[in-house]
């Protein structure tokens, strides 16, 4: 496990949870399997999965009329405390 990828996985998990998306939603919107996403969220993969997950989450936010930008501001606010 690489701590860099583990942090990316934690970040996308947080975003996914804040949006109310499931791993299946991310899988549907990306070319990744549920297992690949779960492995990524645990820190076992690479930047390729990060890009695909992030794009899928942005698309999910659009589908569900949520502001991805506003979510990123909330993340910044939480991280800066």
């Amino acid at each position: 496990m690489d701590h860099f990828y583990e942090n990316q996985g934690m970040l996308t998990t947080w975003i996914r949870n804040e949006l109310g998306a499931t791993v299946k939603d991310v899988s549907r919107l990306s070319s990744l399997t549920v297992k690949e996403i779960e492995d990524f969220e645990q820190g076992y993969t690479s930047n390729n999965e990060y890009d695909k997950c992030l794009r899928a989450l942005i698309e999910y936010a659009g589908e569900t009329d949520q502001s991805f930008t506003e979510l990123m501001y909330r993340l910044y606010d939480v991280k800066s405390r």
Side-chain angles (χ1 to χ4, degrees), residues 5-76:
Y5 296 127
E6 184 178 1
N7 288 335
Q8 286 183 323
M10 287 188 300
L11 173 63
T12 56
T13 301
W14 185 89
I15 294 169
R16 183 174 58 75
N17 288 335
E18 288 294 309
L19 290 172
T22 65
V23 175
K24 287 182 181 181
D25 292 324
V26 176
S27 178
R28 176 178 59 82
L29 296 169
S30 69
S31 60
L32 301 171
T33 67
V34 168
K35 174 83 169 108
E36 288 171 324
I37 295 164
E38 289 171 345
D39 286 349
F40 168 71
E41 289 185 348
Q42 295 298 314
Y44 290 108
T45 54
S46 68
N47 279 335
N48 187 41
E49 283 79 7
Y50 177 72
D51 291 344
K52 289 179 181 179
C53 284
L54 201 54
R55 285 185 180 134
L57 290 167
I58 292 168
E59 189 173 338
Y60 180 85
E63 280 185 356
T64 57
D65 294 324
Q66 298 182 69
S67 171
F68 192 82
T69 303
E70 184 178 306
L71 180 62
M72 292 297 95
Y73 282 124
R74 281 200 326 253
L75 172 63
Y76 172 77

